Amino acid sequence: MIVRMTASEGTEPQAGFTDRDEGRPATESVGERLLGALLDRVHLIAPRLAGQLIAQEARIAGATDVSIHLQDLEQLTLRPLPGPGLVGDPLPIDDSVAGRAFSTEESVEEPLADGSVRLHLPLLDGSNRVGVLGFTLPRLTDYDRQLAQRLAGLVADMIVTNDSYTDAFTRVRTAGPLSLSAHMQWQLLPPLSMSTPVLDLSGSLEPAYEVGGDSFDYAFNEHVLHVAVFDAMGHGLEAATMATVIIAAYRNGRLADLPLTELYPAMDQAVATSFPGRFATAQLGRLDTETGILSWVNAGHPPALWVRGSRVMGELTGPVSRPVGFGAGTPIVQTAQLEPGDRVLFFTDGVVEERLPDGEQFGEERLRELIEQTTAADLTCAESVRRLSHALMAARSGRTSDDASLLLLEWKGPSRYDELDRDIPEATPTG
Protein backbone atom coordinates (compact mmCIF):
# COMPACT_ATOMS: atom_id res chain seq x y z
CA MET A 1 0.00 0.00 0.00
CA ILE A 2 1.25 3.49 -0.85
CA VAL A 3 0.61 6.22 1.72
CA ARG A 4 0.48 9.71 0.28
CA MET A 5 0.94 12.72 2.53
CA THR A 6 -1.10 15.87 1.76
CA ALA A 7 0.82 19.12 1.27
CA SER A 8 0.08 21.93 3.67
CA GLU A 9 -2.42 24.49 2.44
CA GLY A 10 -0.96 27.57 0.81
CA THR A 11 2.31 25.98 -0.28
CA GLU A 12 3.35 25.98 -3.90
CA PRO A 13 3.82 22.58 -5.59
CA GLN A 14 7.49 21.74 -6.07
CA ALA A 15 9.13 19.89 -8.92
CA GLY A 16 9.86 16.21 -8.36
CA PHE A 17 12.95 14.46 -9.69
CA THR A 18 14.78 16.56 -12.23
CA ASP A 19 17.90 16.17 -14.31
CA ARG A 20 20.14 18.70 -12.57
CA ASP A 21 22.70 18.54 -15.36
CA GLU A 22 20.12 19.60 -17.97
CA GLY A 23 17.40 21.24 -15.90
CA ARG A 24 14.64 19.17 -17.50
CA PRO A 25 11.93 17.07 -15.84
CA ALA A 26 12.73 13.39 -15.45
CA THR A 27 11.08 11.16 -18.05
CA GLU A 28 11.15 7.41 -18.44
CA SER A 29 13.57 6.23 -21.13
CA VAL A 30 14.14 2.76 -22.59
CA GLY A 31 16.94 2.32 -20.09
CA GLU A 32 14.78 3.32 -17.14
CA ARG A 33 12.03 0.96 -18.26
CA LEU A 34 14.49 -1.93 -18.59
CA LEU A 35 16.44 -1.37 -15.37
CA GLY A 36 13.32 -0.30 -13.52
CA ALA A 37 11.42 -3.43 -14.52
CA LEU A 38 14.24 -5.60 -13.18
CA LEU A 39 14.43 -3.66 -9.92
CA ASP A 40 10.64 -3.72 -9.53
CA ARG A 41 10.26 -7.45 -10.16
CA VAL A 42 13.41 -9.15 -8.85
CA HIS A 43 12.26 -9.21 -5.22
CA LEU A 44 8.86 -10.64 -6.22
CA ILE A 45 10.03 -13.80 -7.99
CA ALA A 46 11.70 -17.01 -6.88
CA PRO A 47 15.49 -16.37 -6.59
CA ARG A 48 16.31 -19.20 -9.03
CA LEU A 49 14.40 -17.30 -11.77
CA ALA A 50 16.60 -14.19 -11.68
CA GLY A 51 18.44 -15.19 -14.86
CA GLN A 52 15.24 -15.90 -16.75
CA LEU A 53 13.78 -12.57 -15.60
CA ILE A 54 16.84 -10.78 -16.97
CA ALA A 55 16.48 -12.55 -20.33
CA GLN A 56 12.77 -11.75 -20.49
CA GLU A 57 13.17 -8.02 -19.84
CA ALA A 58 16.22 -7.73 -22.13
CA ARG A 59 14.18 -9.27 -24.98
CA ILE A 60 11.39 -6.76 -24.40
CA ALA A 61 14.01 -4.00 -24.75
CA GLY A 62 15.16 -5.40 -28.11
CA ALA A 63 18.00 -7.79 -27.22
CA THR A 64 18.15 -11.38 -28.53
CA ASP A 65 20.10 -14.53 -27.67
CA VAL A 66 20.65 -13.52 -24.06
CA SER A 67 23.27 -15.52 -22.18
CA ILE A 68 24.61 -15.33 -18.62
CA HIS A 69 27.86 -17.18 -17.99
CA LEU A 70 29.37 -17.63 -14.51
CA GLN A 71 32.99 -18.52 -13.83
CA ASP A 72 33.60 -21.95 -12.34
CA LEU A 73 35.50 -22.34 -9.06
CA GLU A 74 38.79 -23.07 -10.84
CA GLN A 75 38.38 -19.95 -13.04
CA LEU A 76 38.99 -22.03 -16.15
CA THR A 77 35.52 -22.07 -17.70
CA LEU A 78 32.50 -19.81 -18.10
CA ARG A 79 29.42 -21.93 -17.47
CA PRO A 80 25.96 -20.85 -18.77
CA LEU A 81 22.88 -20.34 -16.65
CA PRO A 82 20.18 -22.67 -17.98
CA GLY A 83 16.50 -21.92 -18.41
CA PRO A 84 13.87 -20.60 -20.84
CA GLY A 85 15.03 -17.51 -22.70
CA LEU A 86 18.71 -18.15 -21.99
CA VAL A 87 21.26 -19.57 -24.45
CA GLY A 88 24.89 -20.59 -24.27
CA ASP A 89 27.40 -23.42 -23.93
CA PRO A 90 30.41 -23.75 -21.59
CA LEU A 91 33.27 -21.54 -22.81
CA PRO A 92 36.97 -21.53 -21.96
CA ILE A 93 38.10 -18.29 -20.34
CA ASP A 94 41.44 -18.38 -22.15
CA ASP A 95 40.11 -18.99 -25.66
CA SER A 96 36.76 -17.31 -26.23
CA VAL A 97 35.35 -13.86 -26.91
CA ALA A 98 33.33 -13.97 -23.69
CA GLY A 99 36.48 -15.06 -21.86
CA ARG A 100 38.27 -11.98 -23.17
CA ALA A 101 35.56 -9.76 -21.67
CA PHE A 102 35.94 -11.62 -18.38
CA SER A 103 39.73 -11.48 -18.20
CA THR A 104 40.09 -7.85 -19.36
CA GLU A 105 37.03 -6.65 -17.41
CA GLU A 106 35.97 -4.65 -20.46
CA SER A 107 33.06 -5.06 -22.85
CA VAL A 108 33.78 -6.75 -26.17
CA GLU A 109 31.74 -6.08 -29.33
CA GLU A 110 31.51 -8.94 -31.83
CA PRO A 111 30.17 -7.97 -35.30
CA LEU A 112 27.98 -10.67 -36.83
CA ALA A 113 27.46 -11.57 -40.49
CA ASP A 114 23.93 -10.11 -40.66
CA GLY A 115 25.15 -6.68 -39.49
CA SER A 116 24.02 -7.07 -35.90
CA VAL A 117 26.44 -6.88 -32.96
CA ARG A 118 26.86 -9.29 -30.06
CA LEU A 119 27.96 -7.69 -26.80
CA HIS A 120 29.94 -9.52 -24.14
CA LEU A 121 29.96 -7.59 -20.87
CA PRO A 122 31.87 -8.51 -17.69
CA LEU A 123 29.65 -9.03 -14.67
CA LEU A 124 31.34 -7.17 -11.82
CA ASP A 125 29.94 -7.29 -8.31
CA GLY A 126 31.73 -4.25 -7.00
CA SER A 127 35.09 -5.18 -8.50
CA ASN A 128 34.74 -8.95 -8.09
CA ARG A 129 34.40 -10.87 -11.37
CA VAL A 130 31.21 -12.92 -11.45
CA GLY A 131 30.91 -13.87 -15.12
CA VAL A 132 29.81 -12.46 -18.48
CA LEU A 133 26.48 -11.17 -19.84
CA GLY A 134 25.93 -11.63 -23.58
CA PHE A 135 23.21 -10.50 -25.97
CA THR A 136 22.75 -9.34 -29.55
CA LEU A 137 21.41 -5.99 -30.82
CA PRO A 138 20.52 -5.11 -34.44
CA ARG A 139 22.69 -2.00 -34.19
CA LEU A 140 24.81 -0.27 -31.57
CA THR A 141 25.00 3.36 -30.46
CA ASP A 142 26.83 5.04 -27.61
CA TYR A 143 23.55 5.12 -25.71
CA ASP A 144 23.25 1.35 -26.17
CA ARG A 145 26.78 0.86 -24.86
CA GLN A 146 26.06 2.93 -21.78
CA LEU A 147 22.79 1.13 -21.07
CA ALA A 148 24.40 -2.27 -21.65
CA GLN A 149 27.12 -1.53 -19.12
CA ARG A 150 24.60 -0.39 -16.52
CA LEU A 151 22.50 -3.48 -17.22
CA ALA A 152 25.56 -5.69 -16.63
CA GLY A 153 26.20 -4.00 -13.29
CA LEU A 154 22.61 -4.61 -12.19
CA VAL A 155 22.69 -8.22 -13.41
CA ALA A 156 25.84 -8.92 -11.40
CA ASP A 157 24.20 -7.53 -8.26
CA MET A 158 21.05 -9.57 -8.91
CA ILE A 159 23.02 -12.81 -9.31
CA VAL A 160 25.10 -12.27 -6.17
CA THR A 161 22.13 -11.19 -4.05
CA ASN A 162 19.92 -14.07 -5.15
CA ASP A 163 22.78 -16.53 -4.68
CA SER A 164 22.16 -16.20 -0.93
CA TYR A 165 18.65 -17.63 -1.37
CA THR A 166 19.17 -20.52 -3.79
CA ASP A 167 21.71 -23.17 -4.81
CA ALA A 168 20.99 -22.63 -8.51
CA PHE A 169 23.96 -20.37 -9.20
CA THR A 170 26.44 -22.31 -7.06
CA ARG A 171 25.52 -25.47 -8.97
CA VAL A 172 26.36 -23.73 -12.24
CA ARG A 173 29.73 -22.57 -10.88
CA THR A 174 30.62 -26.01 -9.53
CA ALA A 175 32.01 -27.99 -12.44
CA GLY A 176 33.08 -31.04 -10.41
CA PRO A 177 32.43 -32.88 -7.12
CA LEU A 178 33.01 -30.58 -4.15
CA SER A 179 34.39 -32.04 -0.92
CA LEU A 180 32.79 -31.06 2.38
CA SER A 181 35.98 -29.32 3.50
CA ALA A 182 36.17 -27.33 0.27
CA HIS A 183 32.52 -26.36 0.60
CA MET A 184 33.24 -24.97 4.08
CA GLN A 185 36.21 -22.97 2.83
CA TRP A 186 34.40 -21.44 -0.15
CA GLN A 187 31.53 -20.41 2.12
CA LEU A 188 33.99 -18.56 4.38
CA LEU A 189 35.82 -16.68 1.66
CA PRO A 190 35.30 -12.99 0.93
CA PRO A 191 35.00 -12.05 -2.77
CA LEU A 192 38.06 -13.31 -4.64
CA SER A 193 39.11 -9.83 -5.74
CA MET A 194 38.72 -6.15 -4.87
CA SER A 195 39.88 -3.05 -6.70
CA THR A 196 39.70 0.62 -5.66
CA PRO A 197 41.55 3.75 -6.83
CA VAL A 198 44.25 3.11 -4.18
CA LEU A 199 44.62 -0.67 -4.12
CA ASP A 200 44.10 -3.89 -6.02
CA LEU A 201 43.80 -7.34 -4.43
CA SER A 202 43.01 -10.93 -5.41
CA GLY A 203 43.37 -14.44 -4.02
CA SER A 204 42.92 -18.06 -5.05
CA LEU A 205 42.62 -21.50 -3.45
CA GLU A 206 43.90 -24.79 -4.86
CA PRO A 207 42.79 -27.49 -5.28
CA ALA A 208 39.48 -25.68 -5.79
CA TYR A 209 37.25 -28.71 -5.22
CA GLU A 210 39.23 -30.37 -2.40
CA VAL A 211 40.94 -27.59 -0.42
CA GLY A 212 40.93 -28.19 3.33
CA GLY A 213 42.96 -25.96 5.67
CA ASP A 214 44.05 -23.02 3.51
CA SER A 215 42.09 -19.79 3.45
CA PHE A 216 42.44 -16.02 3.30
CA ASP A 217 40.48 -12.98 4.38
CA TYR A 218 40.55 -9.20 4.01
CA ALA A 219 38.65 -6.00 4.76
CA PHE A 220 39.16 -2.38 3.73
CA ASN A 221 38.23 -0.10 6.64
CA GLU A 222 38.74 3.66 6.46
CA HIS A 223 42.25 3.92 4.94
CA VAL A 224 43.58 0.58 6.18
CA LEU A 225 43.54 -2.70 4.27
CA HIS A 226 43.51 -5.74 6.56
CA VAL A 227 44.74 -8.99 4.99
CA ALA A 228 45.37 -12.48 6.33
CA VAL A 229 46.40 -15.86 4.93
CA PHE A 230 45.99 -19.09 6.93
CA ASP A 231 47.14 -22.70 6.67
CA ALA A 232 45.53 -24.95 9.28
CA MET A 233 47.38 -28.11 10.27
CA GLY A 234 46.27 -31.32 8.57
CA HIS A 235 43.94 -32.01 5.67
CA GLY A 236 40.27 -32.39 4.92
CA LEU A 237 37.40 -31.73 7.29
CA GLU A 238 39.51 -31.45 10.44
CA ALA A 239 41.68 -28.74 8.92
CA ALA A 240 38.64 -26.94 7.48
CA THR A 241 36.99 -26.91 10.91
CA MET A 242 40.10 -25.36 12.46
CA ALA A 243 40.27 -22.80 9.65
CA THR A 244 36.67 -21.83 10.38
CA VAL A 245 37.53 -21.05 14.01
CA ILE A 246 40.69 -19.16 13.01
CA ILE A 247 38.85 -16.93 10.55
CA ALA A 248 36.06 -16.27 13.06
CA ALA A 249 38.65 -15.26 15.67
CA TYR A 250 40.44 -13.07 13.13
CA ARG A 251 37.26 -11.29 12.05
CA ASN A 252 36.10 -10.85 15.63
CA GLY A 253 39.39 -9.23 16.60
CA ARG A 254 39.44 -7.13 13.45
CA LEU A 255 35.93 -5.83 14.13
CA ALA A 256 37.10 -4.86 17.62
CA ASP A 257 39.96 -2.97 15.92
CA LEU A 258 42.62 -4.86 17.85
CA PRO A 259 46.20 -4.03 16.87
CA LEU A 260 48.29 -6.89 15.48
CA THR A 261 49.99 -7.26 18.86
CA GLU A 262 46.59 -8.14 20.41
CA LEU A 263 44.92 -9.79 17.41
CA TYR A 264 47.54 -12.54 17.16
CA PRO A 265 47.21 -13.59 20.87
CA ALA A 266 43.39 -13.60 20.57
CA MET A 267 43.59 -15.97 17.61
CA ASP A 268 46.25 -18.04 19.33
CA GLN A 269 44.04 -18.50 22.38
CA ALA A 270 41.05 -19.54 20.27
CA VAL A 271 43.06 -22.27 18.52
CA ALA A 272 44.83 -23.48 21.66
CA THR A 273 41.52 -23.78 23.51
CA SER A 274 39.55 -25.43 20.69
CA PHE A 275 42.28 -27.63 19.20
CA PRO A 276 44.85 -28.55 21.89
CA GLY A 277 48.15 -29.63 20.41
CA ARG A 278 47.30 -28.38 16.92
CA PHE A 279 48.30 -25.18 15.15
CA ALA A 280 47.96 -23.03 12.04
CA THR A 281 50.52 -20.91 10.26
CA ALA A 282 49.44 -17.42 9.29
CA GLN A 283 50.36 -14.08 7.80
CA LEU A 284 48.51 -11.07 9.24
CA GLY A 285 48.99 -7.74 7.50
CA ARG A 286 47.78 -4.15 7.52
CA LEU A 287 48.43 -1.66 4.73
CA ASP A 288 48.00 2.05 5.39
CA THR A 289 46.81 3.22 1.97
CA GLU A 290 47.63 6.87 2.72
CA THR A 291 51.31 6.22 3.49
CA GLY A 292 52.04 2.85 1.85
CA ILE A 293 53.37 1.40 5.10
CA LEU A 294 52.73 -2.34 5.33
CA SER A 295 52.82 -3.94 8.78
CA TRP A 296 52.71 -7.68 9.22
CA VAL A 297 53.13 -10.65 11.52
CA ASN A 298 54.54 -13.83 10.03
CA ALA A 299 53.43 -16.81 12.11
CA GLY A 300 55.29 -19.63 10.40
CA HIS A 301 54.56 -18.87 6.73
CA PRO A 302 57.06 -18.60 3.88
CA PRO A 303 58.09 -14.92 3.52
CA ALA A 304 55.95 -12.92 1.12
CA LEU A 305 57.49 -11.81 -2.19
CA TRP A 306 57.91 -8.09 -2.84
CA VAL A 307 57.40 -7.18 -6.52
CA ARG A 308 58.34 -3.86 -8.12
CA GLY A 309 58.33 -3.13 -11.84
CA SER A 310 57.47 -6.76 -12.69
CA ARG A 311 60.57 -7.98 -10.87
CA VAL A 312 60.78 -9.73 -7.51
CA MET A 313 62.98 -7.28 -5.59
CA GLY A 314 63.06 -9.34 -2.42
CA GLU A 315 61.14 -10.96 0.40
CA LEU A 316 59.36 -9.59 3.44
CA THR A 317 61.85 -11.19 5.77
CA GLY A 318 62.55 -10.86 9.47
CA PRO A 319 61.91 -12.71 12.72
CA VAL A 320 59.08 -15.25 12.51
CA SER A 321 56.53 -15.65 15.29
CA ARG A 322 55.37 -19.09 16.35
CA PRO A 323 52.31 -20.59 14.61
CA VAL A 324 48.88 -19.74 15.95
CA GLY A 325 47.93 -22.21 18.71
CA PHE A 326 51.36 -22.55 20.33
CA GLY A 327 50.79 -19.78 22.88
CA ALA A 328 53.65 -17.51 21.87
CA GLY A 329 52.35 -14.32 23.49
CA THR A 330 53.20 -10.96 21.90
CA PRO A 331 54.12 -11.33 18.20
CA ILE A 332 56.90 -9.63 16.30
CA VAL A 333 55.43 -6.88 14.11
CA GLN A 334 57.49 -5.80 11.10
CA THR A 335 57.01 -2.95 8.62
CA ALA A 336 58.01 -2.03 5.08
CA GLN A 337 57.54 1.13 3.03
CA LEU A 338 55.89 0.34 -0.30
CA GLU A 339 56.11 2.56 -3.37
CA PRO A 340 53.12 3.20 -5.65
CA GLY A 341 52.71 0.21 -7.98
CA ASP A 342 54.45 -2.24 -5.63
CA ARG A 343 52.88 -5.67 -5.27
CA VAL A 344 53.15 -8.20 -2.45
CA LEU A 345 52.43 -11.90 -2.91
CA PHE A 346 51.48 -13.93 0.16
CA PHE A 347 51.41 -17.70 -0.32
CA THR A 348 51.21 -20.92 1.68
CA ASP A 349 53.90 -23.60 1.75
CA GLY A 350 51.86 -25.90 -0.51
CA VAL A 351 52.74 -23.60 -3.43
CA VAL A 352 56.51 -24.20 -3.24
CA GLU A 353 56.81 -27.55 -1.45
CA GLU A 354 54.88 -29.63 -4.00
CA ARG A 355 56.99 -32.38 -5.56
CA LEU A 356 57.32 -32.56 -9.34
CA PRO A 357 57.06 -35.91 -11.19
CA ASP A 358 60.84 -36.37 -10.93
CA GLY A 359 60.71 -35.88 -7.16
CA GLU A 360 62.25 -32.40 -7.18
CA GLN A 361 60.55 -29.74 -5.08
CA PHE A 362 58.74 -27.04 -7.05
CA GLY A 363 60.62 -24.36 -5.13
CA GLU A 364 60.49 -20.61 -4.70
CA GLU A 365 62.71 -19.87 -7.70
CA ARG A 366 60.08 -21.24 -10.08
CA LEU A 367 57.42 -19.20 -8.25
CA ARG A 368 59.51 -16.05 -8.73
CA GLU A 369 59.86 -16.72 -12.45
CA LEU A 370 56.13 -17.26 -12.89
CA ILE A 371 55.04 -14.16 -10.98
CA GLU A 372 57.46 -12.04 -13.00
CA GLN A 373 56.02 -13.44 -16.22
CA THR A 374 52.41 -12.76 -15.19
CA THR A 375 53.03 -9.28 -13.76
CA ALA A 376 55.06 -8.21 -16.83
CA ALA A 377 51.85 -8.33 -18.87
CA ASP A 378 50.41 -5.33 -16.95
CA LEU A 379 47.38 -7.30 -15.75
CA THR A 380 45.07 -6.60 -12.86
CA CYS A 381 45.74 -8.51 -9.65
CA ALA A 382 42.67 -10.67 -10.35
CA GLU A 383 43.91 -11.77 -13.77
CA SER A 384 47.52 -12.06 -12.56
CA VAL A 385 46.47 -14.44 -9.77
CA ARG A 386 44.22 -16.46 -12.09
CA ARG A 387 47.02 -16.95 -14.61
CA LEU A 388 49.64 -17.52 -11.93
CA SER A 389 47.49 -20.19 -10.27
CA HIS A 390 47.01 -22.02 -13.57
CA ALA A 391 50.69 -21.65 -14.50
CA LEU A 392 51.65 -23.16 -11.15
CA MET A 393 49.28 -26.05 -11.72
CA ALA A 394 50.62 -26.66 -15.23
CA ALA A 395 54.24 -26.49 -14.04
CA ARG A 396 53.44 -29.11 -11.40
CA SER A 397 51.76 -31.30 -14.05
CA GLY A 398 48.46 -30.97 -12.23
CA ARG A 399 49.86 -32.36 -8.98
CA THR A 400 48.45 -30.82 -5.79
CA SER A 401 48.99 -33.04 -2.77
CA ASP A 402 48.69 -30.10 -0.36
CA ASP A 403 46.58 -26.96 -0.29
CA ALA A 404 48.14 -24.04 -2.14
CA SER A 405 46.87 -20.48 -1.67
CA LEU A 406 47.84 -17.13 -3.16
CA LEU A 407 46.95 -13.58 -2.12
CA LEU A 408 48.31 -10.71 -4.22
CA LEU A 409 47.91 -7.04 -3.32
CA GLU A 410 49.03 -3.86 -5.05
CA TRP A 411 49.30 -0.40 -3.54
CA LYS A 412 48.53 2.11 -6.29
CA GLY A 413 49.40 5.13 -4.17
CA PRO A 414 47.50 7.54 -1.92
CA SER A 415 44.25 9.00 -3.14
CA ARG A 416 44.80 12.33 -4.92
CA TYR A 417 41.13 13.30 -5.11
CA ASP A 418 37.91 13.46 -3.22
CA GLU A 419 36.92 9.78 -3.38
CA LEU A 420 33.33 10.69 -4.33
CA ASP A 421 34.30 13.16 -7.07
CA ARG A 422 32.35 12.25 -10.23
CA ASP A 423 35.04 13.63 -12.55
CA ILE A 424 38.12 11.67 -11.48
CA PRO A 425 39.31 8.94 -13.89
CA GLU A 426 38.62 6.19 -11.37
CA ALA A 427 34.94 7.18 -11.30
CA THR A 428 34.50 6.39 -15.00
CA PRO A 429 33.59 2.76 -15.80
CA THR A 430 35.95 0.86 -18.10
CA GLY A 431 34.81 -0.15 -21.57
Side-chain angles (χ1 to χ4, degrees), residues 46 60 93 214 240 270 305 335 364 374 381 421:
I60 293 173
I93 292 176
D214 275 18
L305 298 181
T335 61
E364 187 178 301
T374 54
C381 279
D421 191 332

Side-chain angles (χ1 to χ4, degrees), residues 177-419:
L178 191 67
S179 70
L180 180 55
S181 60
H183 176 81
M184 292 175 65
Q185 294 297 62
W186 282 106
Q187 292 299 309
L188 283 172
L189 281 183
L192 291 181
S193 58
M194 176 179 68
S195 182
T196 77
V198 298
L199 64 89
D200 202 4
L201 173 149
S202 187
S204 72
L205 296 182
E206 293 288 350
Y209 294 98
E210 297 176 4
V211 65
D214 275 18
S215 194
F216 64 84
D217 198 30
Y218 65 84
F220 190 21
N221 301 327
E222 296 298 329
H223 297 287
V224 177
L225 173 69
H226 305 254
V227 295
V229 181
F230 309 103
D231 183 0
M233 174 183 175
H235 301 279
L237 187 58
E238 190 172 35
T241 303
M242 188 191 305
T244 301
V245 173
I246 293 168
I247 291 177
Y250 171 70
R251 290 176 176 172
N252 185 57
R254 190 181 68 204
L255 284 170
D257 204 22
L258 297 182
L260 292 176
T261 51
E262 296 179 24
L263 180 56
Y264 169 87
M267 296 170 57
D268 181 84
Q269 180 63 31
V271 174
T273 301
S274 304
F275 305 94
R278 299 179 65 79
F279 66 90
T281 59
Q283 286 263 31
L284 311 177
R286 291 187 177 182
L287 173 63
D288 186 325
T289 61
E290 293 187 313
T291 65
I293 295 177
L294 176 66
S295 305
W296 76 93
V297 170
N298 184 346
H301 260 310
L305 298 181
W306 191 348
V307 183
R308 176 176 294 165
S310 301
R311 302 291 294 177
V312 177
M313 58 174 285
E315 300 175 337
L316 297 184
T317 57
V320 178
S321 301
R322 300 188 71 191
V324 175
F326 278 170
T330 303
I332 303 167
V333 179
Q334 299 161 91
T335 61
Q337 176 65 64
L338 303 185
E339 293 185 3
D342 281 2
R343 289 184 170 187
V344 176
L345 177 68
F346 299 97
F347 58 96
T348 58
D349 57 10
V351 173
V352 293
E353 293 181 358
E354 183 64 60
R355 295 287 175 179
L356 300 179
D358 61 3
E360 183 183 1
Q361 198 172 68
F362 182 80
E364 187 178 301
E365 188 60 35
R366 287 187 177 89
L367 176 62
R368 286 171 175 247
E369 292 174 359
L370 289 174
I371 191 172
E372 288 180 351
Q373 291 172 12
T374 54
T375 54
D378 194 26
L379 305 169
T380 63
C381 279
E383 188 59 17
S384 293
V385 165
R386 190 185 75 84
R387 296 190 186 186
L388 177 59
S389 177
H390 296 159
L392 288 167
M393 184 67 74
R396 297 194 304 254
S397 301
R399 295 166 59 93
T400 306
S401 59
D402 191 13
D403 297 341
S405 298
L406 303 167
L407 183 65
L408 179 66
L409 70 86
E410 175 186 341
W411 182 55
K412 300 177 182 178
S415 178
R416 296 171 293 167
Y417 313 96
D418 175 354
E419 293 178 291

